[in-house]
Amino acid sequence: MSNSVVLLNTAITVIAIVFLIVRLRVNPVVALVLGACYLGLATGLGVEKTVETVTKGFGDVMAEIGLLVAFGVLIGALLRDLGAIERLVGTLLRVAGPKRVPYALALTIATFLQSIFLDVLLVITGPLAKGIAGKLGRYGTARMATALAIGLECGIVFTVPGVGALALAALLDVPLGEYLFFGLVVVIPTVFIAVAVMSFVLTRGWWKPELDEEDGGGAEELAGTGGHGGDAESPAASGVRTAVKAAPGAVRTETEPVVRSGSKLLLLFSPLLASLVLIATGALADVVHWKNPVVEFVSSPVVALLLGLVATCVLTRRVLGQPAVDAALSKGLADSGQILLLNGVGGCLAATIAAAGLGDILGKYFTAGTWAPLLVVWLVAAVLHVAVGSVTISAITAAGLLAPVAPSLGINPVLIALAAGAGSLFLVHLTSNTFWLLQTLMGQTTRGTLKTCSVGVSVASVVAMGPVLVLSAVL
C-alpha cells in the first residue's frame, strides 16, 4: 500500500475520532477502538491481523500500567479519607506564607499528589484554595485558581503516577524510573515559571474582579476559613458534604465526609513518599549499573506502589478502622476503572498505527538528532487537545502517532513522551470538566476561568518545551 494512502487513512482516523467524541458525544473508549479498527482495515492489515493488533495493543498497555494505576488511585482514595490533603494545604499556607502559597500549592499538587483522582483532588483542594484566596487581597482568587489549574494539569502528564504520565511511558516503552526523574526536571521549573508569569500578568490589570468573579470580588473571605493560615479550614476540611455544580453534561462531584485525626502529616504521606523514593532508587541503580536483587525487586514500580498501598491501608485502619478502609478501596476501584479503559484503548490505536507502518513513513520526513520532531509532537498533541478537550486522550493519541518514528530518529523516547504531554496541555477550554469545576469551586465567571485555566495552562504548555528542548541537547 502506498505511503499516501496510509497517511490519508491515518488523518481520516484521527478526524473521525475527534468528530465522534466532540460532535456525536460517543464515549472516547468506543471512539478510539472504532478508529483503531478502521485504520487497520483501511491500511490492509486484514480482519484477523486488525483484531489481533487492537487486542494486543490494549493488553500491552494494561500489562505496563494496569496495576500501577490501580495501586496509585487506591492510595489516593485512602489519603482522601484520612483528611491528609486538607491538612497538607493548611501546612503549606503556614510554612510558605500568603505570598508564596500559590507556588507551594501548585508544585505540591504537580509533584506529590498525583495518586489522587483528578476530580477528587480538585474538589478537595478547591474550597481550601478559595478560603486562602480571601487572605491574598484583590487578586487572591486569580492567583489561587491559576495555581490549581497549572498544578493539576501539569501533574497528570509529567509526574509518575499521574495517569497521563503512566500511559505515555507505557506507549513509548520508557522505564518509569526514568520518566519520574525527567518528568520532575520538566515539571518543577514549568510550574514555577508559569505561575510566576500568570501572577505578573493577572496583577497588572488583566484580572477584573468585578467581571471575572461571580461575587464581583466583594467577598473578602470564605466563611469558616479562620483568621490564621495554619488553622484554615473549609467546608471540605471540616467534614461538611459539599456539592459542586458543574456545567451541563459535566460530572457532578462531591467531597466525602472527612474524619480528622491527630496523626502527624508526614506519617500520613510516608507510604507514598517511600514508594516514590524506591522507584527513584531503582532508576538511579540502573544509571550507575548497580545490581542488587533485593533493591531491584522492591524498587520495581509495581512492587514499590504495592508496598505503599499496604502501608497506607495499615495506617488508615489504625486511624479510621477497617470499615473506612473497605469503603475507600471500593471507591478507588470504581475511579480506576474508567482510567484503565481509556489508557488501554489508547494502546489499541498506537499499536494499529505502528502496524500500519506510519513510523517508517514519517521517519523519512525528519532529520535524525534535530529538535524539530519534538515541536511536531507538541503541535500534534496541542491540535488534538483543542479539538477533543481531553489532556489524556490528546497526549496518548499524539504519542501513538509519533512513537513509531522514535527509532529512526535516534531521539530518546522519554523526550517524545514529555513533548506530547506538554502539547496536550494547550488550551484547556469549555469541553473540559476541570474547567467547569474550577469555575464553580473558585467562584469565577466563564471569562475569569478562561484567563486562569485556559490561558494559565497554555502558558505552562509552552514553557514546558523549554526544559524538554534543553534535555534534547543533552540526552
Side-chain angles (χ1 to χ4, degrees), residues 43-310:
T43 54
L45 293 183
V47 174
E48 184 177 348
K49 181 66 174 177
T50 295
V51 173
E52 179 185 337
T53 302
V54 168
T55 54
K56 185 176 185 300
F58 183 90
D60 288 347
V61 171
M62 286 298 97
E64 289 281 343
I65 69 169
L67 289 175
L68 296 174
V69 169
F71 293 162
V73 173
L74 291 176
I75 291 173
L78 292 165
L79 289 174
R80 174 197 63 202
D81 285 3
L82 280 168
I85 312 304
E86 296 90 332
R87 296 180 61 189
L88 177 60
V89 173
T91 301
L92 290 176
L93 177 59
R94 184 175 64 251
V95 173
K99 290 185 178 180
R100 293 182 294 273
V101 74
Y103 298 92
L105 181 63
L107 286 168
T108 301
I109 289 175
T111 59
F112 187 56
L113 297 179
Q114 285 307 304
S115 63
I116 316 292
F117 188 51
L118 183 139
D119 282 358
V120 173
L121 179 58
L122 178 53
V123 171
I124 292 174
T125 57
L128 299 169
K130 179 62 175 173
I132 294 172
K135 304 176 183 298
L136 305 186
R138 176 178 174 84
Y139 302 107
T141 296
R143 294 183 64 203
M144 293 307 297
T146 302
L148 273 181
I150 291 173
L152 286 164
E153 299 292 4
C154 286
I156 292 174
V157 295
F158 291 133
T159 307
V160 174
V163 293
L166 291 176
L168 289 168
L171 288 171
L172 289 147
D173 295 321
V174 179
L176 276 183
E178 182 181 353
Y179 197 101
L180 173 64
F181 175 77
F182 288 111
L184 289 174
V185 170
V186 172
V187 77
I188 292 174
T190 295
V191 169
F192 186 87
I193 294 171
V195 171
V197 169
M198 289 302 299
S199 294
F200 178 84
V201 173
L202 290 166
T203 58
R204 293 306 186 277
W206 194 39
W207 184 260
K208 309 288 187 184
E210 62 277 7
L211 299 175
D212 298 329
E213 297 179 31
E214 290 287 356
D215 59 7
E220 290 297 325
E221 292 188 3
L222 186 66
T225 57
H228 302 283
D231 300 319
E233 290 188 7
S234 70
S238 60
V240 177
R241 193 173 181 85
T242 306
V244 177
K245 180 181 178 184
V251 178
R252 182 178 177 86
T253 314
E254 297 181 341
T255 60
E256 298 295 333
V258 175
V259 179
R260 297 176 65 83
S261 73
S263 303
K264 298 294 185 181
L265 183 62
L266 182 60
L267 177 62
L268 297 179
F269 283 103
S270 58
L272 177 59
L273 271 173
S275 296
L276 296 177
V277 169
L278 285 174
I279 295 172
T281 300
L284 182 61
D286 288 339
V287 170
V288 300
H289 304 292
W290 178 52
K291 297 292 183 181
N292 182 289
V294 175
V295 172
E296 189 174 350
F297 177 72
V298 298
S299 65
S300 62
V302 170
V303 174
L305 281 178
L306 175 60
L307 293 174
L309 174 60
V310 172

Side-chain angles (χ1 to χ4, degrees), residues 389-457:
S390 168
V391 169
T392 304
I393 294 174
S394 56
I396 290 173
T397 307
L401 283 169
L402 293 157
V405 186
S408 63
L409 295 177
I411 295 178
N412 191 318
V414 73
L415 297 175
I416 296 179
L418 293 171
S424 69
L425 298 174
F426 191 76
L427 200 60
V428 174
H429 56 92
L430 284 76
T431 59
S432 169
N433 192 44
T434 303
F435 180 97
W436 296 109
L437 285 173
L438 271 170
Q439 174 180 325
T440 302
L441 289 166
M442 295 303 298
Q444 305 172 94
T445 63
T446 301
R447 166 192 161 117
T449 314
L450 286 169
K451 293 178 181 180
T452 59
C453 182
S454 301
V455 176
V457 179

